[in-house]
Amino acid sequence: MNMKNSLLKSTEPRLLKPVVENASAPYQLICFPCAGGNASMFQSWADFLGADIELLGLHAPGRGARFAEPAFDNMDALVNCLLDEADVLERKPYILLGHSLGARVAYEFAKRATQLGYPAPLHFIASGSRAPNGPKVSSPTHSLPSSEFMNTILEMGGIPDEVRESQEMLHLLEPTFRADFKIAEQYTSTAIPLDCPITAICGDEDYKVPEGLVKKWGSFTTSSWCVRCFSGGHFFINQNPHVIPEISRLIVRCFALFTKPKMDMVS
């Protein structure tokens, strides 16, 4: 690592940091939010994960505590900064989970990090996201005039009521939404597989990301994969009370299976 990268790591806020502090946990779940979202959308997951799993999230500029900073509008720039923090992947076994755009950010990060020799995730969970090589189902929105752009965003749902009802807040957040949607609409990747199982989850009423596009995640793994469809739209993870408990059980099982062979060898 050169001196410049060392200096950046020590002075700039980290992108990947705990959503809920649990540093002594032996495992970590690293979550990537949707376009316009922040890591707080995963805060309630900690209640279902137990004490053995530390919950980390992407705390990106342009939202939350980093609201005053300009948001990334380019996948390469975002992932290059994430790679400066790839040491987090060496600290303890981990699972990656991303919703919508967050799934594709998580994939690009994992792909490039493992190519550099960092450990692969134990499992990859893509939620409400087309695969990176999937066709786009709608025309680009990030360059629409302001009123059309915001109407499109609001129609998708997922924006908290206190934000939806405040024109001032919507105006302030518009640059961040545009930046995220620019990444979402311009990023593609060929199917370079990860060396871990993939679970893709989706909503059965998600007209933006139908199940057919979600199934394309199967070509992004050298291991097993499955698709699980829940009732709900694009933000089914917020709408359906069964989703978080069920996916949390999958995460807990994955870490338990990772631990079990070691225990069997000892016994």
Side-chain angles (χ1 to χ4, degrees):
M1 183 187 301
N2 61 38
M3 184 62 68
K4 180 180 178 182
N5 283 347
S6 296
L7 183 61
L8 284 173
K9 281 192 172 186
S10 63
T11 60
E12 292 187 352
R14 289 186 71 91
L15 292 168
L16 297 175
K17 59 183 183 179
V19 177
V20 177
E21 292 284 352
N22 188 13
S24 62
Y27 308 114
Q28 56 189 353
L29 171 66
I30 307 175
C31 296
F32 294 75
C34 60
N38 58 55
S40 65
M41 73 178 290
F42 300 106
Q43 193 157 10
S44 64
W45 289 62
D47 295 335
F48 298 92
L49 295 173
D52 285 344
I53 303 173
E54 183 179 22
L55 178 62
L56 280 71
L58 171 61
H59 295 256
R63 68 214 81 201
R66 304 185 67 176
F67 175 76
E69 302 173 53
F72 288 100
D73 67 355
N74 177 279
M75 181 70 86
D76 281 341
L78 171 55
V79 173
N80 285 341
C81 288
L82 284 168
L83 289 172
D84 283 339
E85 302 180 12
D87 61 313
V88 72
L89 307 181
E90 297 179 309
R91 295 178 186 172
K92 56 188 78 172
Y94 70 97
I95 289 172
L96 294 180
L97 181 149
H99 183 70
S100 194
L101 170 62
R104 301 192 293 280
V105 174
Y107 165 75
E108 184 65 19
F109 174 48
K111 177 187 77 176
R112 291 176 57 184
T114 53
Q115 287 172 340
L116 292 172
Y118 289 96
L122 300 183
H123 206 98
F124 185 94
I125 302 173
S127 170
S129 173
R130 63 174 178 83
N133 64 346
K136 302 185 176 60
V137 295
S138 59
S139 57
T141 60
H142 72 271
S143 57
L144 288 172
S146 182
S147 60
E148 292 180 56
F149 175 76
M150 292 311 301
N151 284 339
T152 301
I153 301 305
L154 292 171
E155 286 173 4
M156 291 184 68
I159 298 177
D161 290 341
E162 62 270 22
V163 177
R164 293 178 64 92
E165 295 167 4
S166 170
Q167 289 299 314
E168 181 181 4
M169 282 298 298
L170 289 173
H171 175 72
L172 290 172
L173 288 169
E174 184 176 342
T176 295
F177 282 120
R178 284 189 183 275
D180 284 2
F181 271 78
K182 184 178 179 181
I183 296 175
E185 293 165 352
Q186 293 187 346
Y187 168 76
T188 58
S189 175
T190 54
I192 299 174
L194 301 177
D195 189 19
C196 69
I198 288 180
T199 297
I201 59 177
C202 61
D204 61 4
E205 298 176 6
D206 186 354
Y207 68 94
K208 290 283 186 181
V209 189
E211 188 175 355
L213 294 183
V214 175
K215 287 181 176 178
K216 291 181 178 290
W217 279 104
S219 62
F220 284 80
T221 175
T222 61
S223 184
S224 61
W225 71 282
C226 69
V227 174
R228 176 76 167 87
C229 198
F230 292 90
S231 62
H234 188 62
F235 287 95
F236 65 96
I237 62 169
N238 297 334
Q239 300 163 346
N240 188 325
H242 302 292
V243 175
I244 297 177
E246 184 164 331
I247 299 305
S248 296
R249 285 192 290 271
L250 166 65
I251 292 165
V252 171
R253 285 198 303 271
C254 288
F255 287 127
L257 288 171
F258 173 77
T259 304
K260 188 175 186 298
K262 296 180 180 180
M263 294 176 64
D264 289 345
M265 289 176 63
V266 173
S267 60

